[in-house]
Amino acid sequence: MEKKGVYYNLVLSQSNKALDIEEHCVTEIDKSFIQNGAKHLNVQDWLNQNRLSSKKSVYQFSEDVKYLTLLQITNSPWLIIVTVIACLIAGCQMPTFAILYGGVLRLFVLPIEEFESQVKLWSGMFGILSLVTIITISTAALASSSVTENMIKELRIQTFKNILSQQLSFFDHKNHSPIKLTNILAKEPPLVKNIAAESHQNIKTVQFLCLQEHIHNVYTNELKKSYRDERKQSIVLSITFSIVHAAVYFMYGFAFIYGSNFVASGKMTAEDIYRVLFALILASTNLGTTTLFFQDFGKAKLAVTQVVKLMTTGSSLPKSDEGERPEIKGNIQFKDVVFSYPARGHTQVLTGFSLEVTQGRTVALVGGSGSGKSTVIALLERFYNPNKGHILIDGTDIAKINVGYLRSQIGLVTQEPMLFDCSLRDNITYGISALGRIVTDQDIIDAAKAAYIHEFIASLPQGYETNIGERGSKLSGGQRQRVAIARAILRNPKILLLDEATSALDSESEKVVHDALNNARKGRTSIVVAHRLSTVENADLIAVMSQGVVKELGTHTELLQVRGIYYHLIKAQYHN
Ligand SMILES: Nc1ncnc2c1ncn2[C@@H]1O[C@H](COP(=O)(O)OP(=O)(O)OP(=O)(O)O)[C@@H](O)[C@H]1O
């Protein structure tokens, strides 16, 4: 403290607040775990423990994968042998058919007694050909699909495991962003893909909590489940495919034995039989071709079902050009709002919520977790409509206001700001052109200065043109918040909504973000949701929520005097 250095400033920035030792420790543990843990989890270690390491690892072939490498991955080489043998036998069916066909033609020139005695023999041979075709084609199709599906499953499991065991620096590479990694494993059914995607996005948490093994098991189980479903589909398809092929030979034998009776009784000539047999050959060729579409047809049906479902889902939101566009000053009123999320219709989140916020003032929403604070914000943005009650802005029910216009009047800063993989300038000006506004460089700089992010941006070699990575991954949490605040300031909204905007930051960042938010709030009606009660002490009004209604309302000092819920919340927080 005496040195008045960085530590001194940190302590000062916490101004009268208890040192959040627990969080500090977590940050330090996180760093040391990542440093030490990442070393311990390097790829080679993993490969050494892995079955693939005994062979030539597939990961050494990332640029040019050889067919032999693919064969090395399969854990069922005998299935490849079965496939090859079945294919060889199945390949003989056409030459055999040609031999049988030639033999049949020859029969028609024989004397009638000899012809009749040979008919059954040759028909039987068609029957056998048809049986062998069913067995060989279905075996070849089943075994080969099993080999490829197994191989793909194995590759995905091992790739996923390898990704989870990488050092954090691996994920900083532009080719290893969560979206790109997820896309590599993207040919999964949605459920499997979502597990993969979440763990890529939250890789720090996964590694910190040592969840690699668990996540890997969950992924593997989901993959195996989907693999089992695919197997069932493959079995049906393979058998259908082989039966369609074999049916031709069967029909041919049947037509021959049946036709021969007509020839013997003089009802048909040999020429008629030739015609029928030839027509059967042509028809069978076409039938064979159509079976190739069976698989695609199944997939298309599934895809179309999903699309039709999405296409026909009605929207309860009005069209973009509907609704009034009144001048907005910023007086907000919630009147007996009752609301349940559609997904949980039986649980009322807001049970008669009423609150008034006058123009230019700041109201803080506090309360226990799940009391409905964020829901209030979502309703004001019209992400949902209340089941009962009204939300008014300057006396007009927001249900009557054009949704796009309403949102253009509201700035929203959340704990995890939505940033994009583009430059700082593009992120700050994001959505401005949709408002029909043109902003100058000076406007952008002014907004960034008010959000206390200009100095940082100016210190970067590429300044405002610096790319900030996917979801702003190249920025710190506080910097991300300040970029989002600069964006909100530039939009110049009449109403500002801050949803837990500082709860994830360390004390120093929190102070800067707090100052930036104070600037952003100036002259605007603000609704702030915060977990750290210290950040809302200066609000004009604090609404304490419990079970979907406001239970206490007043200033910080007034509420402390009441010694009710707020008092106990404050006490509990400082005690912690
Ligand atoms: N999209 C949703 N679908 C279904 N239920 C939801 C949804 N969002 C929130 N809920 C539920 O609504 C209730 C209120 O959630 P809300 O996020 O508004 O609470 P909160 O007071 O902001 O909580 P916290 O302080 O923990 O963020 C919770 O029980 C939550 O589980």
Side-chain angles (χ1 to χ4, degrees), residues 376-394:
V376 171
I377 300 260
L379 289 182
L380 190 56
E381 285 259 27
R382 280 201 75 192
F383 291 141
Y384 301 93
N385 292 324
N387 304 123
K388 281 189 200 155
H390 301 277
I391 303 172
L392 312 173
I393 292 185
D394 300 324

Side-chain angles (χ1 to χ4, degrees), residues 404-425:
Y405 175 74
L406 173 75
R407 290 179 186 160
S408 72
Q409 304 293 317
I410 298 176
L412 177 68
V413 181
T414 57
Q415 187 173 342
E416 257 312 313
M418 206 26 104
L419 298 182
F420 302 93
D421 189 1
C422 50
S423 69
L424 279 157
R425 174 192 300 279

Side-chain angles (χ1 to χ4, degrees), residues 25-36:
C25 289
V26 169
T27 315
E28 288 311 308
I29 293 167
D30 195 1
K31 277 182 200 154
S32 84
F33 174 85
I34 289 162
Q35 278 156 8
N36 301 328

